[in-house]
Amino acid sequence: RTEEFQQRLWRHQHPADCGEAKFFLISHVMGRRTGLGAFLHLRAMHMMVGLDDGRVVVDDPSWAWPFTSAGMEWCDSRQPDCYFLPLTNCTVPASARDSARPYHERTADAKY
């Protein structure tokens, strides 16, 4: 069952046509700093909400992850993908950013 779910999540996060995808834009607790354990817990919740809403989860490119810093020679994105595999093969085009659902709109009524 775990392998089946992992495959389902992978297919959801890696659509064949990113142009047809809807996105769930994550800015991680709206700028608050959290520890690594809390981040991983929230990341799991983000993935479940995105899957439930039929939206590909992407990190807000304007958000800088607290575990990164400016001037890191090996990673200049300042995103979690400096340490983890990227969440998706998709990039949210600027034209779709306004229609990407922000994290806080979904979690006000979340049951997770």
Side-chain angles (χ1 to χ4, degrees):
R1 302 273 323 164
T2 299
E3 186 176 337
E4 291 171 22
F5 178 75
Q6 289 174 9
Q7 290 173 356
R8 179 178 170 214
L9 185 59
W10 178 266
R11 285 190 304 270
H12 173 77
Q13 284 295 119
H14 296 82
D17 183 3
C18 294
E20 295 295 317
K22 293 181 182 178
F23 297 98
F24 192 39
L25 194 61
I26 303 299
S27 60
H28 298 286
V29 202
M30 289 140 303
R32 291 186 311 189
R33 295 180 75 116
T34 60
L36 183 58
F39 167 79
L40 294 172
H41 172 80
L42 289 171
R43 175 68 83 182
M45 188 175 81
H46 298 155
M47 299 303 282
M48 294 306 300
V49 171
L51 191 60
D52 187 48
D53 278 357
R55 293 177 179 268
V56 175
V57 178
V58 294
D59 288 308
D60 183 343
S62 67
W63 173 75
W65 195 37
F67 293 100
T68 62
S69 62
M72 289 173 39
E73 295 174 8
W74 50 274
C75 186
D76 61 0
S77 75
R78 308 249 358 241
Q79 296 285 318
D81 64 4
C82 289
Y83 298 98
F84 302 104
L85 291 174
L87 288 176
T88 183
N89 58 315
C90 297
T91 302
V92 181
S95 60
R97 279 214 184 106
D98 291 336
S99 64
R101 190 169 192 186
Y103 171 70
H104 65 277
E105 283 184 13
R106 173 62 165 85
T107 55
D109 62 343
K111 300 178 183 78
Y112 303 93

